[in-house]
Amino acid sequence: MIKNNDKISANQVSILLFTTMVGAGILSLPADVSKEVGPNGLIAILGGGIVSLFFARLILYLSSKFPTETFVEYTGKLITRPISIVISIILVFYFTIFVSLDVRIFGEVLKIYLLPSTPIETIIITMLFTSAYLVRYGLEPIARMSEILFPIIVIPLVLLFLPTLTDIDLSNFLPFMRVSLVKFFKGMLVTTYSFVGFEILYLLFPYIINTDKLKRSVNSAIISTMLFYMYITFFVVGIFGYKETREQLWPFLTLIKSINFPVFFIENVEGIVMGIWTFTIFTSIYSFHYFATLVLSKLLKTREHSYFVLPAVPIMYSMALIPDSIVTVYKYAGYVSQYMSVFFIAILPILLYIILKVKRLGDKDEEKT
Amino acid sequence: MKRKLKIVILGILIALVLTGCWDKIEIEDRAFVMAIGIDLSSSNERYVVTFQFPNAAQITKGTSGGGGGSEKPSFAVSEVADTIFSASRHISTRINKALYLGHTQAIIFGKDVVENKDKFQQVLDSLDRSYELSRKVYLLVTPQKAQDILLKKYEMESNTGAYIRDIFKHYNLTSKFPTIDYNKITKSLHETKGNAIIPKIIAGKDEIKIAGSAIIKNYKLAGWMGDDENMGYMWLTGLVKGGDVSINMPGDGEEIKVPFNISNVIRRRDVKEEKGKIIYRVKLEVEGDITEYTFEKHGEMMKGDLLNVIERKTSDEIKEMTQKAINRFQKELKVDMLGIGDYIEKYHPSLWEKVGKDWDKIFPEVEIKVDVTSHVRRIGLFR
């Protein structure tokens, strides 16, 4: 059922996870986390990373019990077929929403910073077609694309911020842990949303060659994402202080405005960063795009996912244009992460785990392999 | 036939998709604004916004060896408008270039803007929301009109924005103005709900001068600081990185001034609560060198306790400066610009929980103690 050339290695999984998780979230994460926990954003991200790691491993454990089946099939065994179909449809919808939100935010940012008179529709549709072109070829090219883009994303972003090191005031991270625990957990929850994307582990397992190394690669993906987020938040809060950070829409982009490159002729690095950021968001978009169509093809039991890739584009496109303004975009994003993400990241895996233990399912499959 | 059709379609697609882009603006059609001046019109209702930008055509001519000729090296245009943004748009009816604010180096506020709370807040918000402006811009306040500064041409450097930036670059030669850029000012405004210190600029006949600073209290100009107060403020907030302090020393007959050239400053702070009173201590350790004394006293530097006297006098002088700043902020204006509240919040959070709520009332009662120790490290080439 699964073509041989469409399998990826555990290392590729790690990179695919990283590039999927790092997307539009990095723009606003420091502001969101500062709003809840004040100067302790770094610790909240650490906490959020650990929570995400726990759930990612839980999802991995669940899917490893059914090594040849994807989400649609094994949930059918666990929570009866009809419920499984409903949840799968919601999952398709969920991934589609992420594509639309990401591509809309991408369009907004690009329009503001680089292409003020290009219509946003053009930006969005170009991005979606590019993604569709890649997604049609399946998982292996996607993973390879992520492998290529990963160093292009990480290395310049890490280096670009270094000139601002002198502006960092470490006292901005004080006082240490003076927020109420309720607020701190809320902050952790907020950061967990930035790790959204590891739900693809529900579906990924049957496509992996060396499944024995998978635990390690999930660990390294989530920990490196966490470190990357912490790195950016360290610079943002270190320079602006949490009181100003929480007022900003995209502190990540405001931070870029504060970079004073030692070489005079590249005074404004916004252009460079926009280029890199296009890749980060592109990696998230194609990954969600692929998994949305994959779930759909499993649901309808078609041989190939690629039938759905192009028909999905107009749907994603029109969904991306539903919100009126950037304010409503973030309002909808808030709803999605508050209700749907919590369900897919936390509630569903716990539920499935309990049912798995009660029904004692899946063990047989493991003996077979 | 089918093949031909395919090629034609491909050709049309390429022509449509790959040619040019919507947002192309040739570089010579852009006006790279270097400095912006913001004033209020005489009725105090509309803004007068002045943009200064270099003449790009002339610069390119200069580098290719043409010698520039008689063309103007820099332009400045003013526009009256209801908002800052509309000024930047309406101005396009009068100039043949598209304004680009990404390289702006300095923004100058006229006195009337800073005195008007509503207008000033509006200006600040428009800067915060701007997509183009860099966060490394220098904000300045002038007691004159900002327009007057920008419309003039200075012989030293005709590009006023670059002129201001270069003055800020060698901040560690003097401590006459606080070296704070937009990032720090807006951070202070956000954190203290409307208080900040902004450096002051004045225009002379052929040059500009940045010295002293304006005190913004509750988004409104509350006063100006002269050299001494300003330096005192900088001592207390740890902004002093260089500059000099002059002290009186007995010379041959009458007293002479001796400069103490600051090379390094270490600041330590501490807060204690005693009998309901908050005591805030600042310890300054100042290092520096003596660069001139008097010719007749050659040889005396190595002898006796002359250096001790100089050190003691320097410490007293610095203490006096800080006292002036403390008087100004604590007694007169009753506004915490010395970072005391910030310090308590960060390093003594349990105390802050007690006093944070009505810090404005408690701040004038705080006892501020300044201890200064100075060390002369070098004395120049003669004994």
Side-chain angles (χ1 to χ4, degrees), chain A residues 112-113 115-118 122 167 171-172 174-175 178 239-240 242-244 254 257-258 264 267-268, chain B residues 22-23 100 102-103 105 130-136 165 183 186-187 190-191 345-347 349-350 353:
Chain A
I112 287 163
Y113 281 94
L115 309 166
S117 50
T118 307
T122 318
D167 289 339
S171 74
N172 283 336
L174 293 170
R178 274 275 161 178
I239 288 171
F240 300 136
Y242 74 95
K243 281 178 189 156
E244 202 197 337
T254 315
K257 285 174 168 295
S258 322
F264 177 65
E267 199 171 56
N268 291 356
Chain B
W22 265 282
D23 304 283
Y100 179 67
H103 291 283
Q105 304 290 345
S130 166
Y131 299 120
E132 280 187 355
L133 279 176
S134 146
R135 303 268 301 188
K136 284 285 171 188
R165 177 199 60 208
N183 245 350
T186 183
K187 186 179 170 214
H190 276 286
E191 288 185 349
E345 186 181 354
K346 281 171 176 167
Y347 293 92
S350 47
E353 269 162 29

